[in-house]
Short mmCIF file of all heavy atoms in Angstrom, two decimals:
data_model
loop_
_atom_site.label_atom_id
_atom_site.label_comp_id
_atom_site.label_asym_id
_atom_site.label_seq_id
_atom_site.Cartn_x
_atom_site.Cartn_y
_atom_site.Cartn_z
N TRP A 622 12.45 18.91 25.42
CA TRP A 622 12.82 18.26 26.68
C TRP A 622 12.09 16.90 26.70
O TRP A 622 10.87 16.89 26.51
CB TRP A 622 12.47 19.03 27.93
CG TRP A 622 13.46 20.18 28.18
CD1 TRP A 622 13.28 21.49 27.85
CD2 TRP A 622 14.69 20.12 28.85
NE1 TRP A 622 14.36 22.23 28.25
CE2 TRP A 622 15.22 21.41 28.94
CE3 TRP A 622 15.41 19.07 29.44
CZ2 TRP A 622 16.47 21.68 29.49
CZ3 TRP A 622 16.66 19.35 30.06
CH2 TRP A 622 17.16 20.65 30.06
N PHE A 623 12.80 15.85 26.98
CA PHE A 623 12.28 14.54 27.06
C PHE A 623 12.71 13.89 28.39
O PHE A 623 13.62 14.39 29.00
CB PHE A 623 12.79 13.64 25.89
CG PHE A 623 12.31 14.13 24.56
CD1 PHE A 623 12.94 15.18 23.92
CD2 PHE A 623 11.17 13.56 23.96
CE1 PHE A 623 12.50 15.67 22.70
CE2 PHE A 623 10.74 14.05 22.73
CZ PHE A 623 11.37 15.13 22.10
N ARG A 624 12.00 12.83 28.81
CA ARG A 624 12.43 12.16 30.05
C ARG A 624 12.23 10.65 29.85
O ARG A 624 11.35 10.22 29.11
CB ARG A 624 11.68 12.69 31.26
CG ARG A 624 10.19 12.43 31.27
CD ARG A 624 9.51 13.16 32.44
NE ARG A 624 8.05 12.85 32.45
CZ ARG A 624 7.24 13.49 33.27
NH1 ARG A 624 7.72 14.41 34.15
NH2 ARG A 624 5.93 13.21 33.29
N GLN A 625 12.98 9.93 30.64
CA GLN A 625 12.83 8.48 30.68
C GLN A 625 13.00 8.00 32.07
O GLN A 625 14.10 8.16 32.67
CB GLN A 625 13.87 7.83 29.72
CG GLN A 625 13.63 6.36 29.57
CD GLN A 625 14.38 5.73 28.39
OE1 GLN A 625 15.38 6.28 27.92
NE2 GLN A 625 13.97 4.60 27.92
N ALA A 626 12.01 7.37 32.57
CA ALA A 626 12.03 6.73 33.91
C ALA A 626 12.43 5.27 33.78
O ALA A 626 12.28 4.67 32.72
CB ALA A 626 10.64 6.85 34.56
N PRO A 627 12.98 4.71 34.85
CA PRO A 627 13.43 3.30 34.80
C PRO A 627 12.25 2.37 34.36
O PRO A 627 11.16 2.51 34.90
CB PRO A 627 13.82 3.02 36.23
CG PRO A 627 14.23 4.34 36.75
CD PRO A 627 13.31 5.32 36.14
N GLY A 628 12.50 1.58 33.37
CA GLY A 628 11.51 0.61 32.92
C GLY A 628 10.42 1.19 31.99
O GLY A 628 9.48 0.48 31.67
N LYS A 629 10.57 2.49 31.72
CA LYS A 629 9.54 3.12 30.88
C LYS A 629 10.19 3.67 29.59
O LYS A 629 11.38 3.86 29.51
CB LYS A 629 8.87 4.25 31.62
CG LYS A 629 8.08 3.78 32.83
CD LYS A 629 7.30 4.90 33.45
CE LYS A 629 6.46 4.48 34.59
NZ LYS A 629 5.64 5.54 35.15
N GLU A 630 9.33 3.86 28.60
CA GLU A 630 9.81 4.47 27.40
C GLU A 630 10.08 5.96 27.53
O GLU A 630 9.41 6.64 28.40
CB GLU A 630 8.81 4.20 26.26
CG GLU A 630 8.70 2.75 25.86
CD GLU A 630 7.82 2.55 24.63
OE1 GLU A 630 7.27 3.49 24.11
OE2 GLU A 630 7.72 1.37 24.19
N ARG A 631 10.89 6.47 26.69
CA ARG A 631 11.15 7.91 26.70
C ARG A 631 9.87 8.62 26.27
O ARG A 631 9.14 8.16 25.37
CB ARG A 631 12.26 8.26 25.74
CG ARG A 631 12.62 9.67 25.57
CD ARG A 631 13.70 9.88 24.59
NE ARG A 631 13.23 9.58 23.20
CZ ARG A 631 13.99 9.29 22.18
NH1 ARG A 631 15.30 9.36 22.28
NH2 ARG A 631 13.49 8.97 20.99
N GLU A 632 9.59 9.76 26.92
CA GLU A 632 8.39 10.51 26.59
C GLU A 632 8.73 12.04 26.48
O GLU A 632 9.68 12.54 27.13
CB GLU A 632 7.34 10.34 27.67
CG GLU A 632 7.76 10.87 29.11
CD GLU A 632 6.61 10.68 30.07
OE1 GLU A 632 5.46 10.32 29.68
OE2 GLU A 632 6.83 10.94 31.24
N GLY A 633 8.03 12.66 25.63
CA GLY A 633 8.22 14.12 25.43
C GLY A 633 7.63 14.87 26.62
O GLY A 633 6.48 14.57 27.02
N VAL A 634 8.25 15.89 27.06
CA VAL A 634 7.80 16.71 28.21
C VAL A 634 7.38 18.12 27.70
O VAL A 634 6.30 18.54 28.01
CB VAL A 634 8.93 16.86 29.23
CG1 VAL A 634 8.49 17.81 30.36
CG2 VAL A 634 9.27 15.48 29.81
N SER A 635 8.27 18.72 26.96
CA SER A 635 7.94 20.07 26.48
C SER A 635 8.86 20.38 25.29
O SER A 635 9.90 19.76 25.12
CB SER A 635 8.19 21.09 27.58
OG SER A 635 7.88 22.46 27.16
N CYS A 636 8.42 21.31 24.45
CA CYS A 636 9.23 21.75 23.36
C CYS A 636 8.99 23.21 23.05
O CYS A 636 7.96 23.76 23.41
CB CYS A 636 9.03 20.91 22.09
SG CYS A 636 7.45 21.03 21.35
N ILE A 637 9.98 23.83 22.42
CA ILE A 637 9.84 25.24 21.99
C ILE A 637 10.32 25.37 20.52
O ILE A 637 11.31 24.79 20.11
CB ILE A 637 10.72 26.16 22.92
CG1 ILE A 637 10.42 27.62 22.56
CG2 ILE A 637 12.19 25.82 22.88
CD1 ILE A 637 10.92 28.55 23.68
N SER A 638 9.48 26.00 19.76
CA SER A 638 9.72 26.06 18.31
C SER A 638 10.81 27.03 17.95
O SER A 638 11.24 27.85 18.79
CB SER A 638 8.45 26.43 17.60
OG SER A 638 7.37 25.59 17.98
N ARG A 639 11.32 26.89 16.76
CA ARG A 639 12.37 27.85 16.32
C ARG A 639 11.71 29.17 16.05
O ARG A 639 10.52 29.26 15.69
CB ARG A 639 13.02 27.31 15.05
CG ARG A 639 12.10 27.09 13.85
CD ARG A 639 12.66 26.15 12.82
NE ARG A 639 13.85 26.61 12.15
CZ ARG A 639 13.80 27.22 10.95
NH1 ARG A 639 12.66 27.43 10.35
NH2 ARG A 639 14.92 27.67 10.37
N ARG A 640 12.51 30.25 16.26
CA ARG A 640 12.16 31.61 15.84
C ARG A 640 10.81 32.06 16.41
O ARG A 640 10.01 32.60 15.71
CB ARG A 640 12.18 31.74 14.34
CG ARG A 640 13.54 31.49 13.72
CD ARG A 640 13.57 31.65 12.26
NE ARG A 640 14.83 31.31 11.72
CZ ARG A 640 15.14 31.30 10.40
NH1 ARG A 640 14.21 31.73 9.49
NH2 ARG A 640 16.33 30.96 9.98
N GLY A 641 10.58 31.78 17.72
CA GLY A 641 9.37 32.31 18.36
C GLY A 641 8.09 31.61 17.94
O GLY A 641 7.01 32.22 17.99
N GLY A 642 8.20 30.39 17.47
CA GLY A 642 6.99 29.70 16.91
C GLY A 642 6.12 29.06 17.94
O GLY A 642 5.08 28.46 17.51
N GLY A 643 6.32 29.18 19.18
CA GLY A 643 5.42 28.61 20.14
C GLY A 643 5.96 27.46 20.94
O GLY A 643 7.08 26.98 20.65
N THR A 644 5.21 26.99 21.92
CA THR A 644 5.65 25.95 22.81
C THR A 644 4.57 24.85 22.91
O THR A 644 3.42 25.06 22.51
CB THR A 644 5.92 26.46 24.22
OG1 THR A 644 4.72 27.06 24.73
CG2 THR A 644 7.03 27.49 24.21
N ASP A 645 4.94 23.74 23.42
CA ASP A 645 4.00 22.69 23.66
C ASP A 645 4.39 21.90 24.92
O ASP A 645 5.60 21.86 25.28
CB ASP A 645 3.89 21.70 22.49
CG ASP A 645 2.66 20.81 22.47
OD1 ASP A 645 1.76 21.09 23.26
OD2 ASP A 645 2.63 19.86 21.71
N TYR A 646 3.42 21.35 25.59
CA TYR A 646 3.69 20.58 26.82
C TYR A 646 2.90 19.29 26.86
O TYR A 646 1.77 19.21 26.32
CB TYR A 646 3.24 21.38 28.06
CG TYR A 646 4.07 22.70 28.25
CD1 TYR A 646 3.63 23.87 27.57
CD2 TYR A 646 5.21 22.72 28.95
CE1 TYR A 646 4.34 25.06 27.76
CE2 TYR A 646 5.96 23.89 29.12
CZ TYR A 646 5.48 25.05 28.49
OH TYR A 646 6.22 26.22 28.64
N ALA A 647 3.44 18.28 27.47
CA ALA A 647 2.71 17.06 27.73
C ALA A 647 1.57 17.39 28.72
O ALA A 647 1.71 18.30 29.59
CB ALA A 647 3.60 16.01 28.30
N ASP A 648 0.46 16.67 28.63
CA ASP A 648 -0.70 16.98 29.48
C ASP A 648 -0.37 16.94 30.94
O ASP A 648 -0.88 17.76 31.76
CB ASP A 648 -1.84 16.04 29.15
CG ASP A 648 -2.42 16.27 27.80
OD1 ASP A 648 -2.30 17.38 27.27
OD2 ASP A 648 -3.13 15.40 27.27
N ASP A 649 0.50 15.99 31.35
CA ASP A 649 0.71 15.83 32.80
C ASP A 649 1.68 16.86 33.37
O ASP A 649 1.93 16.84 34.60
CB ASP A 649 1.15 14.40 33.15
CG ASP A 649 2.39 14.01 32.43
OD1 ASP A 649 2.86 14.74 31.53
OD2 ASP A 649 2.99 12.95 32.76
N VAL A 650 2.26 17.73 32.54
CA VAL A 650 3.10 18.79 33.08
C VAL A 650 2.58 20.17 32.85
O VAL A 650 3.17 21.17 33.29
CB VAL A 650 4.54 18.69 32.53
CG1 VAL A 650 5.10 17.27 32.76
CG2 VAL A 650 4.62 19.07 31.08
N LYS A 651 1.49 20.27 32.11
CA LYS A 651 0.96 21.59 31.83
C LYS A 651 0.56 22.30 33.09
O LYS A 651 -0.06 21.74 33.97
CB LYS A 651 -0.32 21.47 30.95
CG LYS A 651 -0.03 21.13 29.47
CD LYS A 651 -1.28 21.03 28.64
CE LYS A 651 -0.95 20.73 27.19
NZ LYS A 651 -2.22 20.56 26.38
N GLY A 652 0.91 23.55 33.17
CA GLY A 652 0.64 24.32 34.35
C GLY A 652 1.71 24.22 35.41
O GLY A 652 1.65 24.97 36.39
N ARG A 653 2.59 23.23 35.31
CA ARG A 653 3.66 23.02 36.32
C ARG A 653 5.07 23.28 35.72
O ARG A 653 5.93 23.71 36.45
CB ARG A 653 3.62 21.55 36.79
CG ARG A 653 2.34 21.18 37.49
CD ARG A 653 2.46 19.83 38.17
NE ARG A 653 2.73 18.73 37.26
CZ ARG A 653 3.80 17.93 37.37
NH1 ARG A 653 4.67 18.13 38.37
NH2 ARG A 653 3.94 16.93 36.51
N PHE A 654 5.24 23.06 34.42
CA PHE A 654 6.54 23.19 33.78
C PHE A 654 6.45 24.34 32.83
O PHE A 654 5.44 24.59 32.18
CB PHE A 654 6.93 21.96 33.06
CG PHE A 654 7.30 20.72 33.87
CD1 PHE A 654 7.02 20.71 35.23
CD2 PHE A 654 7.86 19.64 33.32
CE1 PHE A 654 7.36 19.61 35.97
CE2 PHE A 654 8.22 18.49 34.05
CZ PHE A 654 7.95 18.53 35.40
N THR A 655 7.58 25.06 32.66
CA THR A 655 7.67 26.18 31.75
C THR A 655 9.02 26.03 30.97
O THR A 655 10.08 26.02 31.63
CB THR A 655 7.59 27.54 32.41
OG1 THR A 655 6.37 27.66 33.13
CG2 THR A 655 7.64 28.64 31.38
N ILE A 656 8.95 26.07 29.65
CA ILE A 656 10.14 26.02 28.82
C ILE A 656 10.48 27.40 28.36
O ILE A 656 9.55 28.23 28.05
CB ILE A 656 9.99 25.04 27.68
CG1 ILE A 656 11.30 24.76 26.92
CG2 ILE A 656 8.90 25.54 26.68
CD1 ILE A 656 11.29 23.65 25.89
N SER A 657 11.72 27.72 28.25
CA SER A 657 12.13 29.01 27.78
C SER A 657 13.50 28.91 27.11
O SER A 657 14.24 27.96 27.39
CB SER A 657 12.15 30.08 28.89
OG SER A 657 13.13 29.70 29.91
N ARG A 658 13.84 29.91 26.30
CA ARG A 658 15.20 29.88 25.71
C ARG A 658 15.80 31.26 25.92
O ARG A 658 15.12 32.28 25.87
CB ARG A 658 15.14 29.51 24.23
CG ARG A 658 14.33 30.41 23.33
CD ARG A 658 14.76 30.16 21.86
NE ARG A 658 14.06 29.11 21.20
CZ ARG A 658 14.60 28.19 20.43
NH1 ARG A 658 15.90 28.19 20.24
NH2 ARG A 658 13.90 27.26 19.85
N ASP A 659 17.12 31.26 26.07
CA ASP A 659 17.89 32.49 26.14
C ASP A 659 18.89 32.40 24.96
O ASP A 659 19.93 31.86 25.09
CB ASP A 659 18.58 32.61 27.49
CG ASP A 659 19.37 33.90 27.63
OD1 ASP A 659 19.64 34.58 26.59
OD2 ASP A 659 19.69 34.26 28.77
N ASN A 660 18.52 32.93 23.84
CA ASN A 660 19.32 32.83 22.63
C ASN A 660 20.69 33.52 22.78
O ASN A 660 21.67 33.07 22.24
CB ASN A 660 18.59 33.33 21.41
CG ASN A 660 17.41 32.48 21.07
OD1 ASN A 660 17.48 31.28 21.16
ND2 ASN A 660 16.33 33.08 20.63
N ALA A 661 20.70 34.63 23.55
CA ALA A 661 21.96 35.34 23.76
C ALA A 661 22.97 34.47 24.47
O ALA A 661 24.19 34.62 24.25
CB ALA A 661 21.71 36.64 24.52
N LYS A 662 22.51 33.60 25.36
CA LYS A 662 23.41 32.69 26.08
C LYS A 662 23.42 31.30 25.54
O LYS A 662 24.02 30.41 26.14
CB LYS A 662 23.01 32.68 27.55
CG LYS A 662 23.13 34.02 28.24
CD LYS A 662 22.77 33.91 29.74
CE LYS A 662 22.98 35.27 30.42
NZ LYS A 662 22.60 35.25 31.82
N ASN A 663 22.72 31.05 24.42
CA ASN A 663 22.66 29.71 23.80
C ASN A 663 22.23 28.68 24.84
O ASN A 663 22.79 27.57 24.93
CB ASN A 663 24.01 29.38 23.23
CG ASN A 663 24.37 30.27 22.04
OD1 ASN A 663 23.51 30.69 21.32
ND2 ASN A 663 25.63 30.54 21.89
N THR A 664 21.23 29.00 25.59
CA THR A 664 20.77 28.14 26.69
C THR A 664 19.28 28.00 26.69
O THR A 664 18.52 28.96 26.39
CB THR A 664 21.24 28.69 28.03
OG1 THR A 664 22.64 28.84 28.03
CG2 THR A 664 20.86 27.80 29.20
N LEU A 665 18.84 26.83 26.99
CA LEU A 665 17.41 26.54 27.19
C LEU A 665 17.15 26.21 28.65
O LEU A 665 18.07 25.70 29.33
CB LEU A 665 16.97 25.32 26.37
CG LEU A 665 16.60 25.45 24.88
CD1 LEU A 665 15.42 26.32 24.70
CD2 LEU A 665 17.82 26.02 24.11
N HIS A 666 15.94 26.47 29.14
CA HIS A 666 15.61 26.17 30.54
C HIS A 666 14.28 25.43 30.56
O HIS A 666 13.41 25.61 29.70
CB HIS A 666 15.48 27.44 31.35
CG HIS A 666 16.79 28.25 31.41
ND1 HIS A 666 17.88 27.84 32.09
CD2 HIS A 666 17.11 29.43 30.80
CE1 HIS A 666 18.83 28.72 31.96
NE2 HIS A 666 18.39 29.72 31.16
N LEU A 667 14.18 24.59 31.58
CA LEU A 667 12.87 23.99 31.89
C LEU A 667 12.64 24.21 33.40
O LEU A 667 13.29 23.57 34.21
CB LEU A 667 12.92 22.46 31.61
CG LEU A 667 11.57 21.77 31.79
CD1 LEU A 667 10.51 22.25 30.75
CD2 LEU A 667 11.70 20.25 31.71
#
């Protein structure tokens, strides 16, 4: 998941690895955002 605010560069927010390999978060969203995937529904959530 990435985001881009007006006048700013795109920045990474969170990611989830393939095959249960783990997640990562930008420092300013840690503890507030949670990434997850539902492979059965082919859907990701933030």
Side-chain angles (χ1 to χ4, degrees):
W622 282 98
F623 296 81
R624 66 187 180 187
Q625 187 166 21
K629 294 186 177 181
E630 293 188 355
R631 182 182 64 196
E632 61 178 354
V634 175
S635 180
C636 66
I637 186 165
S638 306
R639 62 200 293 263
R640 301 181 183 179
T644 59
D645 197 12
Y646 296 89
D648 287 343
D649 60 348
V650 305
K651 284 180 180 176
R653 300 190 298 121
F654 290 10
T655 302
I656 191 171
S657 62
R658 61 162 87 223
D659 185 341
N660 292 323
K662 296 182 179 179
N663 295 324
T664 303
L665 277 296
H666 300 289
L667 184 68

